[in-house]
Amino acid sequence: MRQAKRLWAALCPTLITVLLGGCLGGAPDAKKSFDAPLEGLTQAQRGAFILGDAAFNRMFTAETGLGPVFNAPSCSSCHVRDGRGHPAFRVTRFGLGDPTSAASFDYLLDLGGPQLQNRAIVGYLPESLPDLPGVVTSSRIAPQLAGLGLIEAIDDTEILSRADPDDLDGDGISGRPNYVVPPPFFVANPTNSTTFDGRYLGRFGWKATGINLVQQVALDYHDNIGITSDRLPTDLTNPIVGPTGGDPAPDPEISAATVQNVAFYLSVLRPPSRRDETDAEVVQGEGLFTQLGCASCHVPELRTSKKAAIELLRDKPVPLYSDLLLHDMGPDLADNYPEGDATGREFRTPPLWGLGIIKSTQGGRAFYLHDGRTSDLREVIKVHGGEAERSRTAFFELSETEKDALIAFLKSL
Amino acid sequence: MRNLYTSTFGHETRFAACLGALWLTLVVAVPARAQLTQLVHDAIAQKGKPTTTHKPAPTTTHKPAPTTTNKPAPTTTHKPAPAPAPTTKPVEPKKGRPTLKAPTKPAPKPNPDLRGGIYDRPYIYRTEKKGFGFAIGGYTEMLGRYSVIDGVSDGFHFEARRLNLFIYSKLAHFMRLTAEVELAHGTKVTLQTALLDILILPYINVRAGIFLVPIGRFNLSHDAPRYDIIDRPLVATKLIPSTYADVGVGIFGAFRLTSGFTFSYEIYVHNGLGPGVVGGSAEGTRLVEGRTENLFALNPNGSPAISGRLGFRFPFGVELGLSGYTGIYNAYTVKGFTVDGKRRLSIVAFDFIVVWRALTVRGEAAYALISVPESLRELYATRQFGAYVDVSWTFWAGKLWFTKLSKFNIIARGDWIDLNIGKHKTTGQDIGDENLRITVGVAWRPVSQTSIRLAYQQNWLFDAIKNRGRSSAVQLGVATYF
């Protein structure tokens, strides 16, 4: 009897261990993540994706090139799991002057503008906001990255077809393209080659100042992490310290291939998938979304070009809920910080795909809007003004059930 | 504002203090040894009976040291030097008259060496001749591992984690040397110990060389075969950077205070952790990055660190430890130029072990305070905390198949570490950078110095903004002394 007890005592923990070992956890739900690749990548493309993923998640130190001034030590610090960033890692841009025009706005380049690099490697001085009267600041969290390749693959003409800068159709919605001056290293893609007065159509970022992904990656490495590349080979320094000095790593700190790999990685991230789209409440909310005019700016679907560089992205629907154009958002959202053709009251219509799962990369609590100021979608709608004022008013005239339905729809995106 | 962690002492003051301590221990203590020993023996002889009647300190109750094939570890070989010959001729008792018997069995001397520490090991070969001794031994650890991180697995891996060789040499009855070399993953060779002990009295001895820094118990007693769980505790690897060895000098000893209660201490000055603590890893403050490659050759800032541990041994196999470390970690001067403010790192740790019948419970908790430049706070932690408790229960012991005495242990461990205590300025939320780990398993010890173990491990990982990740692993491994 005693021997049997001992035998059981020996077997039980072993069995428990083995059973627990079987519960190693399955793969994460692709519908609730931002960091999965598109289906159908070739073997070579999967290899490039893995290289890009590793570079994207690489954490830099001073010895490997971080800084000397910086905002975060890696891409993934701000774009956590390729999702929307947390306010703890938001960046601040600053300047001085007329918020309605970039031409007459002073970006205070000699004082560290346009972006405040609020951190520095040990022994170096971080930047601080200049103590000048009337300095304008604009805080921004990092936008989500999933689906960027599809956005890049949309032809300029598809975006411009919805532009109505003078509101000729009289619907109260204008929609302006943001033409931006490209950096010297810029090389146009087949889908974004439209120029206007030597400027290109921007489509990435809160104010649509990014033209394509390679440009955006090189700039973000440089401005946010202090990493030099062949495109931007000089370290960013604090002007107060002077143009010399910096981190101990030789420049360029990353190769051209790294920039290309990260750009490719971003371009083949799978866009967020809808969830519960057949739920009755969600269906009702979707109808209200169109009925209230929200879909005038948050256009449910665009289409990629047949000329897209990556075959997998050609001629595909892009359910992003955005027209990628600039709109006047009224005084509550205005940051008074002009960029390109965007005034201090204008923002690019942010894509809404993934809205329901952004909290999964923000520590379990969603932070909405460009500065992450609120976790309440009703509050988000409440601060919509300018061109969105009519839709906002209509939303708050809905019954509570209808409001809930519209919120449920937004969370299904 | 004045930095709270900045030392108020100048560089020269600390240097003078270090020299003073060294001089005190080497010049004053060594010659005093003979006189002190004589005084103690005289006192015992005058009292006429042992001062204590209790059993020796439970230095031999810890089982990992082999009791079957190997000779005992040399914990019991550390004996205070015999009393030198008295300068005056002792009075001979007169024949035929009853005399008070001299104590035939004096109280065992308190052992200043840690149970399970570097002197409590089996050796494959030992020899001792005419007061000189030599021993050589080692241990090895290997495992197979299948892990899944956030639902994705890279499959099964074998890992030859480490092979350690150690030697012990008794140079004289009052002097011993021990050294240990680790070959990690078959390629990386590190010197973990190379120290010389001058044994003066149980309560004061001198140690110089490369030694294990006494922060917590695990750093001092980390041999893989001692544990039935394969992975080391998080607090002892990610907070206390085990295995953390440093070069320096210090004193150690033990006192028997009352029956069954022994108090031990050790205190050292050494180079200390380097500037990698902040900035060495982009993940945040990582004390392990402070172990610079030339740690044994150069103090990064010229300011020695101080560390020490107080140990309390109680009856019934209970031991407690309280330890601490403090030192400047950054290179604030370079060639005479002040390039940065002084930044201090301080760690306090508490450890315990209870061995009761077939049950062993042990644990450790540590708290670190790190001075970080203002602009890097939040990204780099100013406070860290971690703790673990593990339980091992021998549920079966006896002759099994070809073994003479097999033991089966059930093992469980809970690990928690918060590598960035604080709140985000922007949202007021707690900063993450945390790891909770639960490990359960079973181990078979066919002989006492060999552990064959199977374990399941589940981790809950939280990044800086508290996004939760999950990883789990099944491990099968073996660790053995030789």
Side-chain angles (χ1 to χ4, degrees):
Chain A
M1 188 65 183
R2 193 170 175 178
Q3 289 293 330
K5 279 184 180 175
R6 283 179 176 175
L7 187 64
W8 275 112
L11 282 175
C12 283
T14 311
L15 286 172
I16 289 168
T17 306
V18 171
L19 286 173
L20 283 170
C23 307
L24 289 169
D29 185 354
K31 284 192 170 184
K32 293 181 179 175
S33 69
F34 292 99
D35 53 2
L38 287 167
E39 298 281 348
L41 292 180
T42 64
Q43 195 170 328
Q45 286 173 327
R46 283 200 293 270
F49 178 86
I50 290 165
L51 287 174
D53 188 12
F56 185 84
N57 288 295
R58 181 183 174 191
M59 307 281 271
F60 289 91
T61 63
E63 279 64 38
T64 55
L66 180 67
V69 289
F70 65 97
N71 294 113
S74 73
C75 306
S76 58
S77 299
C78 297
H79 303 278
V80 181
R81 301 180 187 179
D82 303 306
R84 193 175 293 195
H86 187 270
F89 287 97
R90 66 186 172 197
V91 298
T92 300
R93 293 191 180 163
F94 63 95
L96 194 64
D98 178 10
T100 62
S101 168
S104 57
F105 194 79
D106 183 355
Y107 290 96
L108 299 173
L109 300 181
D110 52 345
L111 293 172
Q115 184 166 307
L116 178 74
Q117 280 78 29
N118 61 332
R119 295 184 173 106
I121 59 173
V122 175
Y124 198 83
L125 190 68
E127 291 179 347
S128 54
L129 284 174
D131 189 17
L132 295 171
V135 168
V136 173
T137 60
S138 174
S139 295
R140 298 164 190 191
I141 59 174
Q144 68 205 37
L145 304 177
L148 288 188
L150 288 166
I151 293 177
E152 188 179 49
I154 297 168
D155 199 274
D156 285 343
T157 53
E158 169 84 347
I159 299 168
L160 293 170
S161 68
R162 286 174 173 77
D164 184 16
D166 301 319
D167 192 20
L168 296 177
D169 62 4
D171 65 351
I173 308 295
S174 58
R176 295 200 310 130
N178 192 2
Y179 286 106
V180 292
V181 178
F185 60 82
F186 174 75
V187 177
N189 285 345
T191 53
N192 53 17
S193 55
T194 306
T195 57
F196 178 79
D197 199 16
R199 295 175 295 161
Y200 285 79
L201 179 66
R203 64 182 72 194
F204 297 112
W206 291 106
K207 295 220 173 194
T209 51
I211 305 167
N212 66 27
L213 288 176
V214 172
Q215 171 219 7
Q216 197 69 18
V217 169
L219 277 171
D220 283 352
Y221 262 124
H222 187 257
D223 293 353
N224 299 333
I225 316 177
I227 295 296
T228 56
S229 61
D230 62 328
R231 290 168 173 84
L232 290 163
T234 310
D235 261 325
L236 206 58
T237 54
N238 185 344
I240 293 170
V241 178
T244 57
D247 58 63
D251 299 316
E253 290 149 350
I254 54 169
S255 67
T258 301
V259 174
Q260 292 287 359
N261 284 335
V262 172
F264 179 79
Y265 165 77
L266 298 176
S267 66
V268 294
L269 283 172
R270 178 164 39 188
S273 305
R274 290 281 306 271
R275 299 156 314 284
D276 308 322
E277 57 265 45
T278 55
D279 184 275
E281 189 182 30
V282 170
V283 171
Q284 184 195 2
E286 189 168 5
L288 287 167
F289 185 80
T290 308
Q291 190 183 320
L292 267 51
C294 308
S296 301
C297 301
H298 292 285
V299 176
E301 188 174 294
L302 301 180
R303 197 161 191 90
T304 62
S305 167
K306 293 176 182 174
K307 300 182 292 182
I310 300 170
E311 189 180 352
L312 198 63
L313 302 175
R314 288 176 194 159
D315 199 22
K316 292 283 191 301
V318 190
L320 77 169
Y321 287 86
S322 169
D323 60 1
L324 301 176
L325 294 168
L326 298 173
H327 296 274
D328 175 4
M329 296 310 297
D332 289 341
L333 279 175
D335 64 354
N336 299 317
Y337 192 84
E339 286 186 89
D341 286 342
T343 68
R345 284 168 62 107
E346 286 179 322
F347 284 90
R348 179 199 68 161
T349 307
L352 297 182
W353 56 8
L355 195 71
I357 56 169
I358 62 168
K359 67 179 181 181
S360 68
T361 64
Q362 293 182 315
R365 175 182 162 192
F367 292 93
Y368 301 116
L369 297 173
H370 64 281
D371 51 7
R373 72 176 76 166
T374 180
S375 301
D376 181 359
L377 280 173
R378 291 183 184 223
E379 180 67 21
V380 172
I381 297 168
K382 192 178 173 185
V383 294
H384 274 59
E387 295 174 40
E389 190 161 352
R390 195 186 299 167
S391 298
R392 177 189 67 181
T393 306
F395 172 80
F396 285 102
E397 286 171 353
L398 295 175
S399 68
E400 283 304 309
T401 312
E402 289 171 324
K403 285 177 191 166
D404 289 343
L406 198 141
I407 297 294
F409 162 68
L410 293 174
K411 288 185 175 177
S412 78
L413 296 175
Chain B
M1 196 178 84
R2 182 176 167 271
N3 190 327
L4 290 174
Y5 304 121
T6 302
S7 169
T8 53
F9 298 106
H11 179 81
E12 296 79 11
T13 315
R14 280 195 304 279
F15 183 63
C18 295
L19 279 181
L22 187 62
W23 176 84
L24 189 72
T25 49
L26 289 175
V27 181
V28 178
V30 174
R33 169 192 153 272
Q35 292 176 20
L36 287 168
T37 310
Q38 182 62 50
L39 284 171
V40 171
H41 280 258
D42 287 351
I44 292 169
Q46 281 175 17
K47 202 168 182 179
K49 58 180 181 179
T51 51
T52 54
T53 54
H54 63 268
K55 289 180 180 178
T59 54
T60 53
T61 56
H62 193 63
K63 293 304 178 189
T67 53
T68 52
T69 54
N70 286 45
K71 292 181 181 179
T75 45
T76 52
T77 59
H78 171 206
K79 296 171 184 172
T87 50
T88 55
K89 195 177 178 182
V91 179
E92 292 284 339
K94 289 179 182 177
K95 287 180 182 176
R97 289 182 63 185
T99 57
L100 202 61
K101 277 190 176 179
T104 54
K105 197 177 179 184
K109 301 292 184 289
N111 184 358
D113 297 327
L114 184 79
R115 189 171 66 174
I118 55 170
Y119 289 111
D120 185 13
R121 288 163 158 169
Y123 289 86
I124 195 169
Y125 175 76
R126 292 184 66 208
T127 181
E128 188 157 356
K129 206 178 215 181
K130 294 180 181 176
F132 295 92
F134 176 77
I136 186 167
Y139 70 89
T140 187
E141 181 187 12
M142 59 195 79
L143 63 132
R145 179 187 184 93
Y146 181 84
S147 57
V148 177
I149 300 171
D150 287 332
V152 180
S153 174
D154 281 337
F156 188 84
H157 301 270
F158 286 109
E159 182 184 350
R161 192 164 273 186
R162 53 178 63 87
L163 172 70
N164 287 40
L165 296 171
F166 34 79
I167 58 167
Y168 164 81
S169 179
K170 185 180 175 186
L171 305 171
H173 66 275
F174 63 93
M175 199 153 62
R176 62 185 180 182
L177 181 145
T178 189
E180 180 176 351
V181 174
E182 179 174 287
L183 187 64
H185 296 124
T187 53
K188 188 182 173 191
V189 181
T190 51
L191 188 60
Q192 281 193 350
T193 310
L195 61 84
L196 180 70
D197 282 348
I198 299 170
L199 308 172
I200 303 163
L201 283 171
Y203 48 85
I204 184 159
N205 306 281
V206 179
R207 175 167 294 169
I210 297 166
F211 49 81
L212 297 172
V213 178
I215 321 173
R217 186 187 183 86
F218 189 89
N219 195 49
L220 300 172
S221 173
H222 58 260
D223 294 355
R226 292 210 177 277
Y227 297 84
D228 287 330
I229 291 179
I230 294 169
D231 281 352
R232 293 177 168 186
L234 291 171
V235 64
T237 50
K238 294 195 171 183
L239 199 158
I240 299 168
S242 298
T243 306
Y244 174 33
D246 203 353
V247 60
V249 64
I251 54 173
F252 66 102
F255 300 88
R256 185 180 307 285
L257 297 181
T258 60
S259 173
F261 175 61
T262 306
F263 162 76
S264 64
Y265 74 94
E266 49 190 314
I267 183 164
Y268 305 102
V269 288
H270 49 98
N271 279 344
L273 292 166
V277 168
V278 172
S281 166
E283 291 179 340
T285 301
R286 294 292 184 267
L287 305 195
V288 69
E289 298 293 334
R291 294 186 320 201
T292 49
E293 282 184 5
N294 55 355
L295 191 65
F296 299 155
L298 193 67
N299 187 339
N301 49 42
S303 301
I306 299 170
S307 62
R309 182 175 183 274
L310 305 177
F312 306 90
R313 289 180 201 157
F314 299 91
F316 310 113
V318 179
E319 287 188 29
L320 306 178
L322 186 64
S323 50
Y325 167 99
T326 186
I328 306 292
Y329 68 84
N330 66 321
Y332 56 89
T333 59
V334 178
K335 294 184 177 179
F337 289 104
T338 301
V339 295
D340 200 2
K342 292 178 185 175
R343 307 196 191 284
R344 181 169 291 277
L345 162 67
S346 300
I347 309 169
V348 63
F350 168 76
D351 62 76
F352 73 93
I353 181 167
V354 178
V355 182
W356 182 70
R357 296 188 177 177
L359 187 72
T360 301
V361 183
R362 59 187 145 203
E364 193 166 310
Y367 185 82
L369 277 170
I370 310 106
S371 172
V372 174
E374 177 70 33
S375 79
L376 292 178
R377 289 180 193 170
E378 201 172 321
L379 193 62
Y380 287 90
T382 56
R383 292 179 291 154
Q384 298 184 328
F385 174 78
Y388 86 92
V389 174
D390 79 23
V391 180
S392 173
W393 175 51
T394 304
F395 64 87
W396 191 86
K399 183 172 165 47
L400 178 73
W401 197 11
F402 51 85
T403 66
K404 288 180 180 174
L405 179 62
S406 276
K407 287 183 180 176
F408 282 91
N409 298 338
I410 295 176
I411 45 182
R413 178 188 287 163
D415 267 302
W416 168 253
I417 191 149
D418 184 348
L419 292 174
N420 197 343
I421 301 172
K423 292 187 182 300
H424 289 296
K425 287 178 199 166
T426 47
T427 62
Q429 294 171 295
D430 283 338
I431 301 172
D433 206 357
E434 297 161 11
N435 189 172
L436 169 66
R437 178 188 288 173
I438 303 291
T439 312
V440 292
V442 61
W444 172 38
R445 286 185 177 269
V447 290
S448 59
Q449 71 267 39
T450 301
S451 172
I452 299 167
R453 51 269 182 103
L454 173 70
Y456 169 77
Q457 181 189 97
Q458 176 76 53
N459 282 282
W460 290 267
L461 302 142
F462 299 88
D463 65 15
I465 55 177
K466 285 215 163 182
N467 289 312
R468 196 179 79 177
R470 195 180 140 192
S471 75
S472 41
V474 174
Q475 299 170 311
L476 176 64
V478 60
T480 183
Y481 280 112
F482 55 83

